[in-house]
Amino acid sequence: MRVRFVPFAPLLASMLFIAFMTSVSGTAAVPLPERGPAGEAGSARQDFDPRDLSGIWRLTQGRGVEPAPPMTPEGALLHGARLTDREAGSPALSNDPIYACNPQGFPRLVYDENEPVEFLQVGDRILQLFQWERTLREVWLDGRDLPTGENLDDLGPAWYGHSVGEWEGDTLVVNTVGLDERAWADQSRAYPLSLHARVEERIKRIDADTIEVRLTIDDPTFYTAPWTEIRPKTFTREPPESYNYSGWKGLFSGITEAICAPMNEVDSFNLTVRDPALFGSGASPDQ
């Protein structure tokens, strides 16, 4: 039986609602590029370097994760204490950590959201800049070893783990370990991942406007078998002009700041989502 917890600061549901409303109103919506036959943007075919991932991309296919293999008793115990929106019947009753303004973590932020992400290739690193949370993730390409054993224990858990990548031909292979076990791997199923889980991403730019990613998760602490993504995840390149706000170009420049700020809770989430969910439309805790 699942243990039910009620969060005290579930703000991100309101951010999702606001993002949806702004998209509907057209205020902050970012259109996808027009695409012609494979490899074309608009009507002109573009040449590309398969090892150049720079640009702004959006997840357009393959959102979420595949059903996981059977869990170990330890994994099932942790999973059983999690209550998704659907199970709770309301975001106000879910114990999803993002509703208390905690980071989404990896792989959730990358592969369970369709918000734009910018890739920057800087020397011996690739940086991923995320509109959601206004945060970044770094992938090291300098030949360092993936931390294991005592080294991993010394580094400890991180919301986005510790990531090392290398090129195999034109495919970038990234391995990530050291994930924070409090994060959910996805929103709809609330899968757990342990500190010693290893997430492998095989990232390939297949044409000028498309990146495909295949995931494999190996977590013997929480699962009885490796966990392979059957569906490839597809990212589509966003046109640079979509992120030009009064001359301020780039994902972090003029675009709406999508940060979960607890001080905004009372005027946004409480009044518009949590109070109506708990006390009925138009009601408040004082009534």
Side-chain angles (χ1 to χ4, degrees), residues 29-91:
V30 180
L32 293 174
E34 294 182 2
R35 296 174 58 79
E40 297 183 6
S43 58
R45 179 172 179 82
Q46 301 178 29
D47 294 328
F48 72 99
D49 178 355
R51 288 196 175 196
D52 181 7
L53 305 177
S54 60
I56 298 174
W57 306 82
R58 186 189 293 269
L59 180 64
T60 51
Q61 292 182 358
R63 180 177 176 182
V65 293
E66 295 287 339
M71 296 182 187
T72 64
E74 185 177 354
L77 182 64
L78 181 58
H79 186 245
R82 298 181 173 185
L83 193 64
T84 66
D85 294 354
R86 178 175 298 178
E87 292 167 328
S90 166

Side-chain angles (χ1 to χ4, degrees), residues 70 81 136 185 209 259:
L136 63 84
D209 299 305
I259 293 177

Side-chain angles (χ1 to χ4, degrees), residues 257-278:
E257 193 174 61
I259 293 177
C260 180
M263 66 189 307
N264 292 333
E265 178 188 6
V266 173
D267 292 333
S268 56
F269 183 84
N270 283 359
L271 295 181
T272 60
V273 179
R274 187 172 69 181
D275 291 348
L278 292 176

Side-chain angles (χ1 to χ4, degrees), residues 2 13 36 40 73 127 144 193-194 250:
R2 298 218 165 188
E40 297 183 6
L127 302 181
R144 68 181 63 192
L193 290 175
S194 76

Side-chain angles (χ1 to χ4, degrees), residues 2 64-71 75 78-80 82 84 104 106-108 112 180-194 217 219 222-223 227 229:
R2 298 218 165 188
V65 293
E66 295 287 339
M71 296 182 187
L78 181 58
H79 186 245
R82 298 181 173 185
T84 66
Q104 292 198 54
F106 177 81
R108 180 173 177 177
D112 202 33
D180 194 308
E181 295 179 2
R182 297 172 297 176
W184 294 10
D186 68 308
Q187 180 179 11
S188 63
R189 298 186 179 96
Y191 287 137
L193 290 175
S194 76
I217 301 173
D219 186 0
F222 288 165
Y223 299 92
W227 176 2
E229 283 284 349

